[in-house]
């Protein structure tokens, strides 16, 4: 039987980053991964001069820990900050994309919002504070900023981030920073102004909020994290059992492979936990394992000769009100270098989500036809120009939805960790879904275990 200080289950971004930090602190760590590769949903592909992602495309330097991680990986991989043009975000309305306002002046001149809601936006700092702690993102947006702001800013934003329904996502779980602005300051605008005035340390300034990838693709980041770690891929039928004396026994690929450890960190999806932790009573596990994940189809489209049709922007999001068959289109080649051949363009289309889960039943030919139609009708490529590359990726459980059941889930996680010291339930079922959230959570877990 092997012995380790920590066993990390799952070699996605959270698991790899946790193990990376623990190893740097001098601990013996084993990572178990059921797939035959590391990275989880992160995977970079190359084809015909295009470099594209089949999972997450970008992250945000939302915490100092993100910048510090890349500093620690210096020489193994390099962070790539998106071009300044990526600050420009587009929203579809009518027959074309419009720039999403980036400030108060643009908010009152944009065609996206009604005149009535433009006045509501100006009056937002004086609106009453909400009283419902479980208010949905959609309800909060309509109450403070108006229906058209909800339709043409919040709805497409939530589709782009969560692939979810803003009326079902609870603000204090899904967008906690936004929730705290109103809760603590009474207003989004007043809160944002107050936050900007707060003194920041040099470390705080590392959180630049800039969009990032890894030079050459995000696969380079996870490969760099995994470089010196002890990882077993293809580890099937993983199970964890209490072994007494504050230790844990982890088995995989049959009972012949056993590891004894002091701590277990799980980073797998909530749906996989009952089989992984069979000793936990069903009633205690149910609030966690029932977490709903929105399905997403991502279609990567490359064109070798864009003929001047590229748009300097991060991408375009599509409000559900517009009735389009795509959630949004990202423009990776506009954000990062060498993602498409010279003069070409790379796009990532997204379909499905919580409100259109039935899209997963569409055939590849049906998906391809929808994408080609949007290629012409939304990106306005001439009909004599066809994509040179189309790759379809289906994710049945892509993005967890932080709905009304989130409180019960978080309470169950806390109770389990209290009842079973040494067991940590991590991953994107709590603490946010972005890459920045994953990196921050991993650094926090490593620090807590280091103090124990």
């Amino acid at each position: 039987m092997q012995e380790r200080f920590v066993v990390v289950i799952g070699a996605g971004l959270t698991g790899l980053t946790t193990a990376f930090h623990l190893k740097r602190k001098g601990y013996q760590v084993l990572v178990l991964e059921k797939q035959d590769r590391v990275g989880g949903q992160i995977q970079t592909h190359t084809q015909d001069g295009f470099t594209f992602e089949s999972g997450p495309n970008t992250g945000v330097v939302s915490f100092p820990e993100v910048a510090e991680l890349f500093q620690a990986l210096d020489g193994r991989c390099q962070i790539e900050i998106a071009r300044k043009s990526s600050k420009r975000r587009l929203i579809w309305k009518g027959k074309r994309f419009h720039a999403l306002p980036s400030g108060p002046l643009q908010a009152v001149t944009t065609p996206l919002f009604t005149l009535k809601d433009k006045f509501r936006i100006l009056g937002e700092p004086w609106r009453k504070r909400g009283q419902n702690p479980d208010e949905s993102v959609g309800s909060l947006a309509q109450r403070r900023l108006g229906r058209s702001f909800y339709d043409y800013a919040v709805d497409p934003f939530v589709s782009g981030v969560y692939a979810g329904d803003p009326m079902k996502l609870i603000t204090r779980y899904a967008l906690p920073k936004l929730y705290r602005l109103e809760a603590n300051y009474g207003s989004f605008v007043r809160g944002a102004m107050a936050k900007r005035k707060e003194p920041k340390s040099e470390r705080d300034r590392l959180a630049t909020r800039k969009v990032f990838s890894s030079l050459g693709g995000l696969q380079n980041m996870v490969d760099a994290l995994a470089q010196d770690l002890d990882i077993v891929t293809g580890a099937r039928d993983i199970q964890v059992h209490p072994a007494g004396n504050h230790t844990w026994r982890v088995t995989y690929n049959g009972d012949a492979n056993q590891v004894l450890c002091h701590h277990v960190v799980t980073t797998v999806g909530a749906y996989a936990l009952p089989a992984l932790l069979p000793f936990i009573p069903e009633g205690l596990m149910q609030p966690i394992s029932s977490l709903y994940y929105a399905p997403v189809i991502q279609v990567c489209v490359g064109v070798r000769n864009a003929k001047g049709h590229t748009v300097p922007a991060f991408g375009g999001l599509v409000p559900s009100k517009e009735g389009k068959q795509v959630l949004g289109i990202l423009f990776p080649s506009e954000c990062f270098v060498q993602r498409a051949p010279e003069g070409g363009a790379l796009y990532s289309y997204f379909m499905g989500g919580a409100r259109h889960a039935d899209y997963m039943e569409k055939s590849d030919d049906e998906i391809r036809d929808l994408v080609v139609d949007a290629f012409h009708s939304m990106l306005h490529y001439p009909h004599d120009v066809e994509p040179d590359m189309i790759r379809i990726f289906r994710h049945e459980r892509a993005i967890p939805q932080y709905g009304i059941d989130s409180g019960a889930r978080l309470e169950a996680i806390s109770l389990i960790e209290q009842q079973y010291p040494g067991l940590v339930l991590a991953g994107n079922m709590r603490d946010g879904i972005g890459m920045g959230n994953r990196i921050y959570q991993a650094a926090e877990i490593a620090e807590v275990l280091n103090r124990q």
Side-chain angles (χ1 to χ4, degrees):
M1 181 181 291
Q2 303 180 59
E3 291 190 14
R4 295 289 192 280
F5 178 70
V6 181
V7 171
V8 176
I9 301 173
L13 181 57
T14 310
L16 291 174
T17 306
T18 301
F20 175 80
H21 284 306
L22 286 170
K23 179 159 187 179
R24 293 185 80 216
K25 295 176 186 297
Y27 295 107
Q28 289 185 315
V29 186
L30 175 67
V31 181
L32 299 178
E33 168 56 51
K34 70 175 182 178
Q35 302 296 330
D36 295 323
R37 50 171 294 276
V38 301
Q41 291 194 17
I42 294 175
Q43 189 170 11
T44 306
H45 307 260
T46 58
Q47 179 179 326
D48 301 330
F50 298 98
T51 298
F52 50 96
E53 310 285 352
S54 59
N57 280 255
T58 62
V60 177
V61 187
S62 46
F63 299 95
E65 286 79 2
V66 178
E68 290 168 344
L69 180 64
F70 276 97
Q71 291 170 0
L73 291 172
D74 185 42
R76 298 185 184 187
C77 74
Q78 182 179 339
I79 192 171
E80 182 177 10
I81 299 299
R83 297 185 179 103
K84 289 184 179 180
S85 59
S86 68
K87 291 183 178 180
R88 187 166 177 254
R89 312 296 173 97
L90 307 177
I91 302 293
W92 183 269
K93 184 176 185 180
K95 296 183 178 180
R96 68 183 183 91
F97 282 115
H98 301 265
L100 182 67
S102 58
L105 179 60
Q106 293 179 354
V108 298
T109 59
T110 179
L112 293 174
F113 311 139
T114 64
L115 180 61
K116 176 183 177 181
D117 286 344
K118 289 175 182 178
F119 281 108
R120 285 188 65 81
I121 293 169
L122 291 175
E124 191 276 337
W126 296 276
R127 202 143 289 126
K128 289 184 178 180
R129 205 185 252 108
Q131 300 299 316
N132 179 10
D134 288 330
E135 187 173 20
S136 71
V137 174
S139 175
L140 173 65
Q142 293 183 54
R143 176 172 57 80
R144 295 206 67 85
L145 298 164
R147 178 73 194 199
S148 65
F149 188 90
Y150 165 79
D151 285 335
Y152 287 97
V154 173
D155 174 272
F157 169 78
V158 169
S159 290
V161 174
Y162 276 94
D165 183 343
M167 301 306 295
K168 294 182 178 179
L169 295 174
I170 304 304
T171 310
R172 66 185 174 118
Y173 302 118
L175 299 173
K177 291 182 179 179
L178 184 68
Y179 175 80
R180 288 195 292 270
L181 287 180
E182 185 189 34
N184 297 338
Y185 301 96
S187 159
F188 300 153
V189 174
R190 289 208 308 268
M193 292 174 63
K195 297 292 284 185
R196 280 198 294 268
K197 293 178 182 178
E198 290 178 356
K200 292 184 178 180
S201 67
E202 287 300 315
R203 184 169 184 270
D204 291 336
R205 293 191 181 95
L206 293 175
T208 60
R209 302 294 306 171
K210 292 181 179 179
V211 173
F212 77 89
S213 179
S214 179
L215 190 64
L218 290 168
Q219 187 71 49
N220 289 336
M221 176 180 65
V222 294
D223 287 346
L225 285 167
Q227 186 171 308
D228 295 327
L229 297 177
D230 187 1
I231 302 174
V232 176
T233 55
R236 311 292 198 264
D237 302 319
I238 306 171
Q239 284 198 345
V240 178
H241 297 276
N245 297 321
H246 304 290
T247 59
W248 295 89
R249 180 170 58 89
V250 183
T251 63
Y252 62 95
N253 294 343
D255 289 342
N257 297 290
Q258 299 191 32
V259 186
L260 195 66
C261 60
H262 293 283
H263 299 276
V264 174
V265 179
T266 75
T267 66
V268 302
Y271 49 85
L273 288 176
L276 180 68
L277 308 171
F279 59 91
I280 295 179
E282 181 181 353
L284 186 54
M285 180 61 76
Q286 196 277 333
I288 304 172
S289 60
S290 60
L291 173 61
Y292 175 67
Y293 289 72
V296 172
I297 300 172
Q298 181 174 183
V299 186
C300 298
V301 175
V303 55
R304 292 194 185 91
N305 186 355
K307 297 185 177 181
H309 281 79
T310 56
V311 180
F314 180 78
L317 296 172
V318 183
S320 59
K321 186 175 183 178
E322 290 293 316
K324 289 291 182 181
Q325 293 178 307
V326 298
L327 300 174
I329 309 171
L330 297 186
F331 308 158
S333 55
E334 289 297 309
C335 298
F336 305 112
V337 301
Q338 298 178 348
R339 299 301 173 105
E342 186 71 26
L346 175 68
Y347 304 100
S348 286
Y349 291 67
F350 294 87
M351 300 179 181
R355 289 185 286 195
H356 299 285
D358 57 304
Y359 274 45
M360 295 296 290
E361 299 173 10
K362 292 184 181 294
S363 68
D364 282 0
D365 286 341
E366 289 176 306
I367 295 297
R368 192 173 287 106
D369 288 343
L370 292 175
V371 165
V372 171
D373 176 74
F375 180 75
H376 297 302
S377 64
M378 298 182 72
L379 298 179
H380 302 300
Y381 276 87
H383 284 278
D384 61 345
V385 177
E386 294 293 323
D388 296 297
M389 180 205 72
I390 297 178
R391 290 284 301 276
I392 300 171
F393 302 96
R394 299 171 183 266
H395 304 281
E396 292 186 4
R397 294 187 178 108
I399 305 174
Q401 302 296 292
Y402 288 7
I404 193 66
D405 57 349
S406 296
R409 180 175 68 258
L410 297 178
E411 184 178 346
I413 291 171
S414 177
L415 187 57
I416 288 171
E417 291 182 344
Q418 290 175 25
Q419 289 186 6
Y420 302 98
L423 178 63
V424 179
L425 306 186
N428 63 10
M429 62 184 175
R430 64 176 176 92
D431 301 335
I433 65 170
M435 287 200 289
N437 300 104
R438 301 294 87 240
I439 292 170
Y440 173 78
Q441 184 193 68
E444 285 290 293
I445 290 170
E447 186 59 34
V448 169
L449 294 185
N450 184 48
R451 294 196 299 263
Q452 292 182 355

